[in-house]
Amino acid sequence: DAGVTQSPTHLIKTRGQQVTLRCSPKSGHDTVSWYQQALGQGPQFIFQYYEEEERQRGNFPDRFSGHQFPNYSSELNVNALLLGDSALYLCASSAGINYGYTFGSGTRLTVV
Amino acid sequence: GESVGLHLPTLSVQEGDNSIINCAYSNSASDYFIWYKQESGKGPQFIIDIRSNMDKRQGQRVTVLLNKTVKHLSLQIAATQPGDSAVYFCAENRAGGFKTIFGAGTRLFVKA
């Protein structure tokens, strides 16, 4: 049974560019959350998707947006990239509220 | 691989000893708590969870203790092995919310 799959694994972008990261949740999971993890820190919640809608959002600017598709897969889009957006972006899926997450291995984004 | 948590609190234990990792959580309204393990280059991995109506839960070689009075959570690992070396995060879900909030993490070193 495949877990959470994220693509790409690594990405280098220039300031001001836009990026799209992709996530396929674990089979049977309908809820997808995105996290940003800076080096040396815990993951920071970006937003959560359920039934193709953003259900809750963390303290991230509108440059961060997302989407969930009918097959539960999800995308994270970041516009007008800043150097400070360089981080590991983690996708996590779960079977509902108050269930533990299954995380993907993340996408390492470097903005230069 | 990537290095996670260069300046995290660190716990160093001898192989075979028991490890105790502590965490203070922030919100008395949190009702679900989880411990995650993150190895270098990987996403966090679910270890064990506990709901607020319990004060102790045991898994294979791991025990989580919850003290709601002082908002404290601990993870005990029995007979620590080299493969337990990783960064450990406690996380909390707040009642009525959807997001999981992560702590800063503790790096566990296991000496052979």
Side-chain angles (χ1 to χ4, degrees):
Chain A
D1 177 27
V4 175
T5 305
Q6 290 188 245
S7 63
T9 55
H10 294 83
L11 202 54
I12 299 175
K13 289 286 190 178
T14 304
R15 275 179 299 176
Q17 285 189 314
Q18 178 266 344
V19 68
T20 297
L21 311 181
R22 294 177 175 82
C23 172
S24 293
K26 182 177 178 179
S27 178
H29 287 183
D30 58 4
T31 302
V32 173
S33 301
W34 286 93
Y35 283 80
Q36 180 194 68
Q37 186 175 30
L39 206 60
Q41 297 182 21
Q44 299 295 311
F45 178 81
I46 303 175
F47 41 54
Q48 184 181 92
Y49 277 85
Y50 173 72
E51 292 189 342
E52 302 178 53
E53 303 243 337
E54 184 183 291
R55 181 155 70 175
Q56 189 165 7
R57 188 178 184 90
N59 295 325
F60 281 80
D62 291 345
R63 298 187 296 109
F64 289 76
S65 63
H67 190 78
Q68 186 180 32
F69 300 93
N71 66 353
Y72 308 122
S73 67
S74 178
E75 288 181 350
L76 165 65
N77 301 293
V78 187
N79 294 323
L81 284 166
L82 304 173
L83 295 179
D85 295 331
S86 295
L88 181 68
Y89 288 86
L90 294 162
C91 173
S93 70
S94 63
I97 301 172
N98 285 356
Y99 286 90
Y101 289 148
T102 299
F103 279 88
S105 293
T107 295
R108 168 63 67 185
L109 173 65
T110 302
V111 182
V112 298
Chain B
E2 86 177 57
S3 176
V4 176
L6 292 175
H7 303 292
L8 292 173
T10 298
L11 175 65
S12 185
V13 299
Q14 198 68 39
E15 182 180 0
D17 287 351
N18 296 335
S19 302
I20 300 176
I21 301 172
N22 295 304
C23 174
Y25 63 92
S26 57
N27 195 310
S28 56
S30 293
D31 61 357
Y32 176 62
F33 305 87
I34 318 102
W35 281 99
Y36 289 92
K37 171 187 180 182
Q38 188 171 26
E39 298 174 280
S40 183
K42 298 183 179 179
Q45 176 188 3
F46 174 93
I47 301 172
I48 192 169
D49 60 0
I50 189 168
R51 302 187 191 278
S52 60
N53 60 350
M54 303 173 70
D55 53 20
K56 181 179 179 179
R57 188 158 189 239
Q58 289 183 289
Q60 187 175 14
R61 282 203 308 119
V62 293
T63 300
V64 55
L65 299 177
L66 174 62
N67 185 330
K68 295 182 286 295
T69 302
V70 294
K71 293 190 285 186
H72 184 267
L73 195 65
S74 68
L75 176 70
Q76 300 177 3
I77 304 173
T80 313
Q81 302 169 359
D84 295 326
S85 294
V87 177
Y88 288 82
F89 293 100
C90 64
E92 61 184 292
N93 280 21
R94 295 177 184 177
F98 302 109
K99 65 181 180 181
T100 296
I101 301 166
F102 283 75
T106 297
R107 179 179 290 281
L108 176 65
F109 285 107
V110 181
K111 296 175 288 187

